[in-house]
Amino acid sequence: MANNLLKGKRGIIFGALDEKSIAWVTAERVFEEGGRFVLTNAPIAMRMGRIQELAERCESKVVPADATSIEDIENLYKESMDTLGGNIDFILHSIGMSPNVRKGRDYGDLNYEWFLKTLDVSGISFHKVMQVAEKMDIMNEWGSIVALSYIAAQRTFPDYSDMAQAKAVLESIARSYGYRMAKSKKVRVNTISQSPTITTAGTGVTGFDVFFEFADKMSPLGNADALACANYIIAMFSDFTRMVTMQNLMHDGGFSNSGITHEVVEHLRQIEKLAENAG
Ligand SMILES: NC(=O)c1ccc[n+]([C@@H]2O[C@H](COP(=O)([O-])OP(=O)(O)OC[C@H]3O[C@@H](n4cnc5c(N)ncnc54)[C@H](O)[C@@H]3O)[C@@H](O)[C@H]2O)c1
């Protein structure tokens, strides 16, 4: 389905860890669409993940950067412009991590240092990515910056814990920085609020399998998978979406506007029947 939608465009993709990562699938699609990019991830992910494999396939370079470190981001941008031979047209921020979620801390017993880490890695890093981009003036006019979010920013999903606050921060930064970027460089900034997706970050949330299935039944189109998300990101990086900015774009198969669906009703009826038969 390649249409050269990103031909001649240069970018930076944060967050490809393994082949399930949304950033990994996106990198493969961007490459197919003719875009060229530098891949980056936290130094620790370089050891754990398989990013070099992806880089070879996409004729790309890997530059390690902790997205919470200004120094790392500055170095990443310098190396990216040298490697790609010019300014940047697109950035994907596909980063999320909560030590509280990872270590199974209850929401009523959060470790506040970890909470700050969650906010820094998963939310404030998006500000850092854009502030450094603006100061170093790396973006081309009509460029596009996208970060990935989740509907827990608006509604409560109990086991999503402090990541819900991080996503609310992330979406708010997209609006505030989107304004600046539009005024200074005509660059657009959006978040894409994605369906539950089977990845390392996704499955780290307790009860993920249940809410993955629930969301699938609650979405008239079903859950959007990583490839569908990648295709949406391609559209947001392409010149067809130049006037879309400061938005939180729902990419969820209709989940966010559904009250109840026939699939959920049917599922509950089946459970009732099973309970009756057992009784
Ligand atoms: N999987 C889902 O269900 C789902 C749903 C909606 C939104 N999202 C969001 O999509 C994005 C990508 O997640 P994913 O599902 O592909 O999982 P993933 O685990 O593959 O990606 C998360 C990435 O964040 C990187 N990261 C963590 N700390 C970092 C740091 N300090 N600096 C730089 N990178 C760091 C990890 O190394 C990893 O590559 C995240 O923002 C996530 O919250 C995921």
Side-chain angles (χ1 to χ4, degrees):
M1 196 175 79
N3 293 295
N4 270 334
L5 287 177
L6 304 180
K7 193 160 187 240
K9 293 194 189 293
R10 295 182 280 257
I12 299 172
I13 297 180
F14 287 80
L17 181 68
D18 56 34
E19 72 285 350
K20 289 191 182 125
S21 300
I22 296 167
W24 182 294
V25 182
T26 305
E28 290 182 324
R29 285 289 297 119
V30 170
F31 184 69
E32 278 172 16
E33 291 296 339
R36 293 298 170 259
F37 48 84
V38 161
L39 291 165
T40 182
N41 209 324
I44 180 146
M46 302 284 153
R47 293 196 291 277
M48 287 161 46
R50 310 199 336 254
I51 195 167
Q52 292 294 351
E53 221 177 287
L54 175 67
E56 272 165 40
R57 212 177 311 153
C58 298
E59 297 165 19
S60 170
K61 184 176 173 180
V62 181
V63 180
D66 178 339
T68 64
S69 156
I70 299 292
E71 213 188 324
D72 281 11
I73 299 171
E74 285 169 347
N75 175 59
L76 165 69
Y77 289 171
K78 258 187 237 125
E79 285 211 34
S80 299
M81 288 195 295
D82 284 351
T83 306
L84 297 168
N87 275 18
I88 300 302
D89 300 293
F90 60 86
I91 297 178
L92 175 64
H93 177 289
S94 185
I95 299 171
M97 200 279 294
S98 158
N100 281 302
V101 169
R102 235 185 221 186
K103 292 173 190 172
R105 286 294 278 251
D106 186 74
Y107 193 67
D109 185 32
L110 288 187
N111 175 316
Y112 287 112
E113 272 185 28
W114 295 350
F115 192 174
L116 291 175
K117 184 89 185 154
T118 304
L119 294 177
D120 197 15
V121 172
S122 314
I124 296 164
S125 65
F126 193 37
H127 192 282
K128 293 178 179 174
V129 161
M130 290 191 280
Q131 183 166 295
V132 178
E134 190 186 13
K135 284 188 178 168
M136 290 177 68
D137 196 19
I138 69 159
M139 294 301 293
N140 279 325
E141 278 205 349
W142 298 109
S144 176
I145 301 176
V146 169
L148 290 172
S149 195
Y150 184 54
I151 195 174
Q154 288 83 29
R155 297 200 212 150
T156 295
F157 292 79
D159 293 321
Y160 205 64
S161 191
D162 56 357
M163 277 297 288
Q165 279 73 66
K167 292 303 190 193
V169 166
L170 184 86
E171 292 177 12
S172 177
I173 289 171
R175 288 185 288 272
S176 300
Y177 230 113
Y179 181 86
R180 279 184 77 92
M181 284 282 180
K183 288 291 180 192
S184 61
K185 291 294 277 205
K186 295 190 170 17
V187 166
R188 56 202 186 281
V189 181
N190 295 285
T191 49
I192 292 178
S193 187
Q194 163 68 6
S195 293
T197 314
I198 299 166
T199 64
T200 302
T203 51
V205 178
T206 313
F208 178 85
D209 50 342
V210 176
F211 77 70
F212 179 88
E213 206 190 321
F214 173 72
D216 198 41
K217 288 193 181 352
M218 272 296 285
S219 310
L221 290 174
N223 284 334
D225 64 12
L227 178 59
C229 188
N231 285 331
Y232 194 27
I233 294 166
I234 302 289
M236 292 311 299
F237 287 165
S238 81
D239 290 328
F240 291 115
T241 53
R242 281 188 165 188
M243 298 306 280
V244 182
T245 195
M246 300 158 68
Q247 303 297 317
N248 180 46
L249 304 163
M250 292 299 179
H251 187 253
D252 63 0
F255 177 87
S256 46
N257 273 343
S258 296
I260 193 158
T261 60
H262 289 106
E263 284 76 6
V264 170
V265 171
E266 189 48 40
H267 188 69
L268 291 174
R269 287 222 170 101
Q270 276 173 12
I271 292 172
E272 261 174 30
K273 254 190 219 150
L274 282 174
E276 271 170 27
N277 291 344

